[in-house]
């Protein structure tokens, strides 16, 4: 017999290096399974919140389409259509890149960026160009 003999009360165990590696592997496997289960439960709790945010985003974009119904505009000789990627520079020198939504009857232009929605009058826009 190769290994260490462990006497516990009236029981005798023979422990070798191979048994130690097997027990360590099994404990790591159980730990991984438990942590994966915990992560899955957390993800399932957050899923309704993420779905609600996506629904709100779609709803906001639909409202923008209703508020800015004119889909095509010509600005300084360039034609812009709804959904086109544009770069807009405002009179205060702030520049935004986003998707062109449209124009309303009050000459306001709407552009949706990944973080915000910009609605600005045409006379306050310094430059509007297609984005690459």
């Amino acid at each position: 017999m190769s290994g260490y003999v462990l006497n516990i009360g009236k029981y005798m165990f023979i422990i070798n290096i191979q048994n130690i590696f097997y027990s360590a592997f099994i404990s790591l496997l159980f730990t991984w399974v438990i942590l994966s289960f915990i992560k899955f439960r957390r993800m399932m709790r957050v899923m309704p919140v993420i779905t609600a945010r996506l629904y709100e985003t779609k709803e906001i974009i639909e409202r923008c389409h209703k508020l800015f119904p004119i889909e095509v505009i010509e600005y300084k000789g360039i034609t812009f259509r709804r959904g086109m990627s544009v770069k807009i520079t405002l009179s205060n020198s702030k520049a935004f890149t986003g998707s062109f939504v449209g124009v309303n009857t009050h000459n306001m232009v709407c552009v949706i960026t990944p973080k915000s929605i910009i609605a600005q009058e045409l006379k306050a826009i310094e430059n509007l160009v297609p984005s690459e």
Side-chain angles (χ1 to χ4, degrees):
M1 281 190 259
S2 66
Y4 300 101
V5 177
L6 181 64
N7 287 326
I8 299 177
K10 60 181 177 179
Y11 300 104
M12 183 187 311
F13 300 100
I14 299 174
I15 300 174
N16 57 20
I17 299 296
Q18 187 178 12
N19 290 344
I20 293 172
F21 283 128
Y22 283 147
S23 64
F25 176 74
I26 290 172
S27 65
L28 286 174
L29 185 67
F30 280 145
T31 304
W32 178 79
V33 168
I34 290 169
L35 290 176
S36 297
F37 180 72
I38 290 170
K39 286 181 184 178
F40 180 74
R41 286 191 57 196
R42 285 183 189 161
M43 186 177 66
M44 293 309 290
R45 285 184 191 148
V46 174
M47 192 64 76
V49 175
I50 294 171
T51 306
R53 285 184 190 161
L54 289 174
Y55 181 72
E56 288 174 3
T57 305
K58 287 180 183 178
E59 195 174 283
I60 290 169
I61 291 172
E62 286 177 9
R63 274 194 241 150
C64 287
H65 285 275
K66 289 179 185 175
L67 290 172
F68 299 91
I70 303 170
E71 297 181 10
V72 179
I73 184 177
E74 189 165 325
Y75 183 77
K76 294 184 180 179
I78 302 172
T79 303
F80 296 95
R81 298 185 187 286
R82 180 174 284 169
M84 191 174 176
S85 180
V86 296
K87 182 176 181 183
I88 185 170
T89 307
L90 304 178
S91 58
N92 60 1
S93 299
K94 289 186 179 179
F96 300 97
T97 303
S99 177
F100 180 75
V101 175
V103 181
N104 64 7
T105 56
H106 302 289
N107 285 332
M108 290 187 72
V109 175
C110 181
V111 175
I112 296 179
T113 67
K115 294 186 178 182
S116 61
I117 298 173
I118 291 95
Q120 195 70 288
E121 289 186 10
L122 274 174
K123 61 184 176 183
I125 295 174
E126 194 172 295
N127 197 8
L128 181 66
V129 294
S131 178
E132 289 91 32

